[in-house]
Amino acid sequence: MKNLFIVLSVLTSFIFFNCKGQTDSEIKNISVQEMKELLKMDDVQLVDVRTPEEYHSGFIANAENMDYFSPSFDEEIKKLDKEKPVVLYCKSGNRSYKSSVKLLELGFHKIYNLDGGIIKWQQEGLDVKKE
């Protein structure tokens, strides 16, 4: 009986901590409207993972460019603050989702991927900056 109690206690603890981890660290695909709300927060890190050429053709204000195809991409994303929310976007949402997976693997907690990318942002009539 004592052994059964120990096994059940260990199993319960494992389930509790495992489920807790799943809710704290996840990738959330967000709409343009959700992104607009997130960008109102002071501590959000906005990352454009397109190439520099794509970035210079038009980007969302305050975005930092970290080229997904760059050999230094993995090192660049490690410089982001793991405790602050990270919002990623690309042209259509594919590269930014792949980047989100990398962030998740590195231990980031609040990861948001703009569904539809900058294409969707512009379709909604929102501004982009140019350099």
Side-chain angles (χ1 to χ4, degrees), residues 23 27 41 43 45 47 56 60 63 74 77 84 89 103 108 118 125 129:
T23 59
I27 299 166
M41 297 169 48
D43 61 347
Q45 303 169 96
V47 181
H56 292 299
I60 298 170
D74 290 344
I77 62 173
K84 293 180 180 178
Y89 74 91
L103 289 176
F108 284 77
I118 199 165
K129 304 285 183 189

Side-chain angles (χ1 to χ4, degrees), residues 112-127:
Y112 302 92
N113 176 50
L114 178 59
D115 194 29
I118 199 165
I119 290 174
K120 188 70 171 171
W121 180 266
Q122 290 177 300
Q123 285 175 347
E124 298 279 330
L126 298 168
D127 290 334

